[in-house]
Amino acid sequence: MLELDAGSNPTEHTTDDTVSTPTSQLKKLSSLVCGQSFIAQQDFRMVHHAITGDAIYQVSSQGIDNKAIVEFAKSKGSAIAQMTFHERAHALKQVAQYLLERKENYYELAKATGCTRKDAWIDIEGGIGTLFAYSSLVRRELSDETAWVEDAWIPLSKHGSFGAKHILTPKAGVAVHIDAFNFPIWGMLEKIAPTLLAGVPCIVKPATEGAEMTHAVVADILASGFLPEGALQLICGQTYDLFEHLNAQDTVTFTGSAATGQKLRAHPHLNQYSIPFSMEADSVNSAILTQHANDETIDLFVREVFREMTTKAGQKCTAIRRAFVPENLLDTVQSRLIAKLQKVVVGNPELENVTMGALASIQQKHDVAKKVEQLSQDADIVFGSHLRQDFNIVAEHPEKGAFYPPTVLVCKSPNTAQAIHQVEAFGPVVTLMPYSDLTELAQLVAKGEGSLVASVVRNTDENVEHIIAKIAPWHGRVHVLDAENAKESTGHGSPLPLLVHGGPGRAGGGEELGGLRAVKHYMQRTAIQGSPNAMTQIGHSWTIGSEVFEDRVHPFKKSFDELRVGERLLTARRTVTEADIVNFACLSGDHFYAHMDKIAAADSLFGDRVAHGYFIVSAAAGLFVDAAPGPVIANYGMDNLRFVEPVKIGDTIQVELTCKQKTPKPLRDPEQKPHGVVVWDIKVKNQRNELVATYDILTLVNRD
C-alpha cells in the first residue's frame, strides 16, 4: 500500500506557526472520480493560507476505491481513444476557452498559495495556453485519424510486395499524473494535454498544498462536458493502493522532489509489470557567466538570476540554484545582485508595493531554512536568510505566514564543497561560486549530477560551442542568453510546449512536453509488416505498390467525398527543351552554371546542362492540373520534395498523381463551405521510366 502524499515535499514539519480552526468548520476537498464527488471521513491533512496562516481546507482520500477508479477510466474514459486526433484537439481547445473564461476564479484561489498575480499568471494562463498550443499543433501536424502512421513504407523484399510501417496507437490503459505543489494548474494541464490528445484517459493526483486550485480547474473541465466521461479524474489526498491496480498498458508520471520520486519509482508493482514511470525532479540548475563577459552581459546575468530567485519566490523546478561566475568577476556580480535584491519587498501580494510573496506553506518555509543551514556549511550567507534580521516582511502578521527572504550564499571553494552541488533549497536561494577556466567549469556543473536547465550568458559575439558541448549531456535544456535575444527570450525558467522539459540523472531522467514527442509517450509504437495493400488499409494512407484506381474523370474534377484513396492519374508527356531552361532562368533569376553554362556543366558531375529542379516541379503541375474551375480550391503546400535524377535537354517527363490521403478540416466558421485536405503522391519519371522527382502535394478540396 502506498501512503505517501507523493506530490508534496517528503520532509514535513509540525509547527505551532499556523492558526487553529475547528475541523468541523473547514471545507473538505473532494475527489472527483467515477462520475461523482467523493469526500473522505477521516485521515485528513490540513492546508493553511500561505499569508495569514489560517487553516483553509482539509484533504483526504481515505476509503477511496482505487480499483473502481482505474476501471472507470478504462471502461468509460477509453471513449477518447475512439475519437480522432482532430476531434481530441478540438475538444481540448474548447476546454481551454472554457477555462479562460473562468480564470479570475483561479486567481482568487491562488492568493492562498502566497504568490503574486504575476506568479499566478504563469500557472493559470500559462497552463491554459499550453492547451491551446497542443491543440493547434496536433490539428496542424497530424492527420484526422485515430492512429498515427509514423513513417513511410519500408520495403523488405526484392519486388516490393512485403514491407512495413511503424504505427502509434493509444495505449489501452490510463495515465496517472502525480503533480507538485508549485504549479497546481500548469503542472496538471501540461501533462493531461498530450495524454488526452494521444487518446488515453487521465487520473490526476495533485500535491496537497495548492490542491484547491487543481480541484477547481478539474471540476470546471468536467462541467464543460467537452471530454468523454471518465477521460479525466482527480484524487485529492493520498494514493494508497492506486499503483496495485495498474498494468503494463498504464503510465505513471511524477513531478516533485527527487527523494519522493525515487520511492515511487522503486514500487514493486511498477517494476513487476514494467509500467512506464516518467520522473521530473527538482535539480540544482545552473547559470553560467562566460569568462569574457562585458558590463552589459554581467547585467543580463544578474537580471536572470534575480528573476529566478524572486518569481514564485524561487519555487520553480527550473529555478537557478548555482550561479557560476569567473573568479575575477565574483565581487562585481555579488554586489550587483544584492543591490537588486535590496529593492525586493516581501509580503502579502495583495498590498500594492509587495513584489515577492510567500512560500507555499509553513512546512516549506521550515524546509528551506533547514536546507540553507546545510548549504551554509559550504558557503557564506552574504544576504538574506532566516538567520539574518535585516529583512522586513510587509504583512499584518508576518510570523504567521510562509515568508522567506531572498538569500544569497557565496562558496569560495566549490571544488571541495558537496552540499551546494547536492542540496536544493526550494525557495529564493542561490549560491554564487567562482571558476577559473572551462575545464573547471565543466567539472563543477557535472557535480550537480543532472539538471533540467542551464543558462549560458555570453557577449553577443562570443563563441560558446565548447561550453555547450561539455554541459549539454547533463541537461534537458540549455538557454543561451545575450544582448541580441534578451528582449524576446522566454527566460531560463520557462518550459515551453514545443521544447522538451526534463533532464538526466538527478533531474529524473524523464521527459515532458517537447511538442509531438509528448503525445508519443502515451502511445504504443508497433511495427506492422505486410503487403502494400495491407498497409494502405491499416494506415488509411496510400502506400507505394498498393492498388490504384483510374477513371476517365480527372481527379481534380471530383469533390473531396468522391475521391478514393489510391485514385491515380497518369499524365501526358512533355519533352524538356533548351528554350524551357533559358525561359525559366529568365523568369526565376536562377542562372546557376549547371543550367546555363555549357562548358562548366560539362565539367560537373552532370556532364551536361540540366533543367532547374523547380522547373520540373512547375512542369509537372502543368501536366497534372486541370485548369477549369472545380472542387479544388487551392494548393495547400508541398512536402518531402526530392530530386532523384537530373533532367537534361531532350529528356521527356511524365507524372503519376495518386490520391494518398484525405483529411476533413473542421470548420472555424459555420458559414464556411465544408472542405478537406487531400495529399497527392507525385512521381515524376523520364522516358526510361526512371524516377526524377518525388514529393507530396496538398490541396484544399470542397466537400459535397
Side-chain angles (χ1 to χ4, degrees):
M1 178 182 290
L2 188 69
E3 296 189 349
L4 183 67
D5 183 5
S8 306
N9 193 303
T11 307
E12 303 230 334
H13 304 265
T14 7
T15 167
D16 296 327
D17 294 345
T18 55
V19 176
S20 177
T21 302
T23 302
S24 59
Q25 298 177 16
L26 282 180
K27 172 183 177 182
K28 294 183 173 71
L29 205 61
S30 65
S31 294
L32 304 174
V33 294
C34 299
Q36 57 189 348
S37 180
F38 171 86
I39 299 179
Q41 299 303 313
Q42 56 185 354
D43 199 19
F44 286 97
R45 275 196 57 199
M46 203 83 74
V47 177
H48 298 84
H49 197 291
I51 303 299
T52 66
D54 294 335
I56 49 179
Y57 61 88
Q58 303 175 83
V59 176
S60 175
S61 58
Q62 197 278 332
I64 203 164
D65 189 343
N66 282 317
K67 182 179 180 181
I69 294 169
V70 172
E71 290 177 350
F72 187 76
K74 294 181 180 182
S75 60
K76 295 285 189 179
S78 61
I80 197 166
Q82 309 307 314
M83 299 167 65
T84 66
F85 283 114
H86 287 202
E87 288 171 339
R88 298 169 200 157
H90 183 61
L92 206 66
K93 180 181 178 181
Q94 289 178 302
V95 165
Q97 291 170 331
Y98 191 86
L99 296 180
L100 201 58
E101 292 167 1
R102 290 155 179 79
K103 66 179 182 180
E104 289 305 323
N105 298 334
Y106 315 140
Y107 277 112
E108 189 63 29
L109 293 175
K111 293 177 180 179
T113 68
C115 60
T116 64
R117 186 176 176 92
K118 184 179 179 181
D119 294 335
W121 181 92
I122 302 170
D123 189 28
I124 297 167
E125 299 191 50
I128 296 172
T130 299
L131 298 186
F132 280 119
Y134 263 96
S135 172
S136 175
L137 178 67
V138 164
R139 285 181 287 122
R140 185 174 66 248
E141 299 293 336
L142 297 184
S143 300
D144 194 24
E145 301 286 348
T146 56
W148 182 348
V149 180
E150 192 177 26
D151 48 21
W153 171 250
I154 304 167
L156 299 173
S157 65
K158 183 177 181 180
H159 298 293
S161 64
F162 181 68
K165 289 185 179 182
H166 290 92
I167 67 168
L168 294 162
T169 51
K171 289 190 174 182
V174 62
V176 176
H177 296 309
I178 303 172
D179 299 325
F181 67 83
N182 53 337
F183 287 101
I185 294 178
W186 178 87
M188 172 192 64
L189 295 181
E190 63 97 2
K191 287 185 175 71
I192 71 168
T195 311
L196 295 171
L197 288 169
V200 176
C202 308
I203 298 172
V204 172
K205 191 285 180 206
T208 298
E209 278 77 22
E212 189 177 30
M213 293 179 67
T214 311
H215 185 280
V217 172
V218 172
D220 283 343
I221 293 174
L222 297 179
S224 75
F226 294 128
L227 297 179
E229 187 180 22
L232 178 61
Q233 297 181 86
L234 176 74
I235 298 175
C236 291
Q238 296 180 336
T239 50
Y240 292 108
D241 64 342
L242 178 61
F243 285 7
E244 303 289 344
H245 303 292
L246 303 180
N247 63 36
Q249 286 292 308
D250 302 316
T251 303
V252 178
T253 73
F254 169 80
T255 299
S257 73
T260 305
Q262 294 298 345
K263 290 180 182 179
L264 296 178
R265 175 180 274 162
H267 192 283
H269 189 82
L270 299 185
N271 290 321
Q272 181 181 353
Y273 291 94
S274 300
I275 297 171
F277 182 92
S278 178
M279 175 175 164
E280 188 261 284
D282 307 330
S283 57
V284 280
N285 309 295
S286 305
I288 298 165
L289 182 65
T290 55
Q291 287 180 285
H292 305 290
N294 58 32
D295 198 61
E296 182 181 34
T297 305
I298 294 171
D299 280 343
L300 280 178
F301 179 82
V302 169
R303 187 193 71 181
E304 200 68 13
V305 173
F306 170 84
R307 179 165 60 182
E308 289 304 307
M309 290 181 69
T310 55
T311 301
K312 289 283 288 186
Q315 297 173 110
K316 294 168 62 181
C317 55
T318 51
I320 295 167
R321 308 303 180 192
R322 300 181 297 164
F324 297 103
V325 179
E327 51 191 5
N328 63 308
L329 297 176
L330 183 61
D331 290 342
T332 301
V333 169
Q334 177 182 328
S335 61
R336 292 191 190 184
L337 178 59
I338 290 175
K340 285 183 71 68
L341 291 172
Q342 285 173 333
K343 299 175 184 178
V344 174
V345 180
V346 178
N348 185 345
E350 296 196 63
L351 300 176
E352 189 175 348
N353 62 329
V354 168
T355 56
M356 190 182 101
L359 300 177
S361 66
I362 292 295
Q363 293 103 312
Q364 190 63 18
K365 180 174 78 169
H366 285 293
D367 187 66
V368 171
K370 178 182 176 182
K371 298 294 176 57
V372 168
E373 289 183 29
Q374 290 177 265
L375 293 172
S376 67
Q377 304 304 308
D378 284 344
D380 298 321
I381 299 172
V382 296
F383 183 80
S385 113
H386 67 298
L387 300 176
R388 300 163 67 98
Q389 304 301 318
D390 54 0
F391 217 94
N392 184 42
I393 307 296
V394 182
E396 188 174 351
H397 297 288
E399 74 285 355
K400 296 178 180 179
F403 301 106
Y404 197 91
T407 299
V408 180
L409 299 95
V410 174
C411 177
K412 295 291 182 66
S413 303
N415 282 303
T416 56
Q418 292 185 350
I420 57 170
H421 302 297
Q422 299 296 323
V423 174
E424 181 185 28
F426 202 73
V429 181
V430 73
T431 302
L432 302 177
M433 56 193 83
Y435 72 92
S436 58
D437 55 33
L438 180 56
T439 299
E440 183 184 24
L441 172 65
Q443 292 171 346
L444 291 173
V445 170
K447 283 179 175 289
E449 298 179 350
S451 300
L452 297 172
V453 55
S455 279
V456 177
V457 187
R458 64 162 201 162
N459 300 333
T460 303
D461 58 352
E462 193 172 358
N463 189 333
V464 294
E465 63 177 304
H466 296 300
I467 296 177
I468 302 300
K470 288 183 177 295
I471 70 170
W474 293 100
H475 297 87
R477 178 166 58 91
V478 175
H479 167 238
V480 180
L481 180 65
D482 54 35
E484 183 180 3
N485 65 35
K487 289 185 178 180
E488 294 188 315
S489 169
T490 52
H492 167 96
S494 300
L496 299 173
L498 296 181
L499 303 184
V500 166
H501 179 50
R506 176 189 168 124
E511 281 190 5
E512 298 173 352
L513 300 175
L516 294 179
R517 296 175 185 85
V519 179
K520 292 182 178 183
H521 291 163
Y522 305 99
M523 306 188 80
Q524 177 60 47
R525 179 179 287 105
T526 306
I528 307 295
Q529 296 174 283
S531 67
N533 281 324
M535 293 299 127
T536 296
Q537 292 169 357
I538 294 168
H540 296 176
S541 176
W542 182 80
T543 302
I544 296 171
S546 62
E547 187 178 3
V548 294
F549 311 95
E550 294 184 341
D551 196 330
R552 295 178 66 182
V553 178
H554 194 289
F556 277 29
K557 291 184 179 294
K558 295 186 177 182
S559 71
F560 179 91
D561 299 294
E562 290 174 319
L563 282 168
R564 292 186 296 169
V565 170
E567 189 157 345
R568 188 182 77 164
L569 171 70
L570 185 63
T571 70
R573 298 179 178 87
R574 172 172 177 167
T575 299
V576 177
T577 66
E578 182 178 17
D580 289 331
I581 296 175
V582 172
N583 288 336
F584 190 82
C586 292
L587 182 65
S588 65
D590 180 355
H591 293 85
F592 188 60
Y593 77 89
H595 311 308
M596 305 301 292
D597 188 333
K598 185 173 182 179
I599 296 173
D603 292 335
S604 72
L605 63 87
F606 301 118
D608 202 350
R609 281 187 291 170
V610 296
H612 303 71
Y614 293 111
F615 168 75
I616 299 303
V617 172
S618 300
L623 289 171
F624 66 70
V625 166
D626 184 79
V632 176
I633 303 169
N635 185 327
Y636 192 59
M638 179 188 295
D639 291 334
N640 308 315
L641 174 62
R642 292 291 182 274
F643 298 118
V644 182
E645 292 289 341
V647 175
K648 300 179 181 180
I649 297 170
D651 281 349
T652 299
I653 61 173
Q654 187 177 31
V655 181
E656 293 176 10
L657 171 83
T658 308
C659 179
K660 185 175 183 179
Q661 193 169 29
K662 298 165 53 180
T663 303
K665 282 188 72 68
L667 300 181
R668 296 182 179 179
D669 183 349
E671 302 296 322
Q672 192 176 31
K673 190 173 181 179
H675 61 280
V677 177
V678 178
V679 181
W680 304 90
D681 178 82
I682 307 294
K683 296 283 187 292
V684 185
K685 297 183 178 180
N686 61 20
Q687 67 274 18
R688 294 179 294 277
N689 203 36
E690 297 169 336
L691 187 67
V692 299
T694 177
Y695 50 99
D696 292 341
I697 284 285
L698 289 73
T699 59
L700 289 178
V701 182
N702 280 325
R703 303 192 66 178
D704 290 334

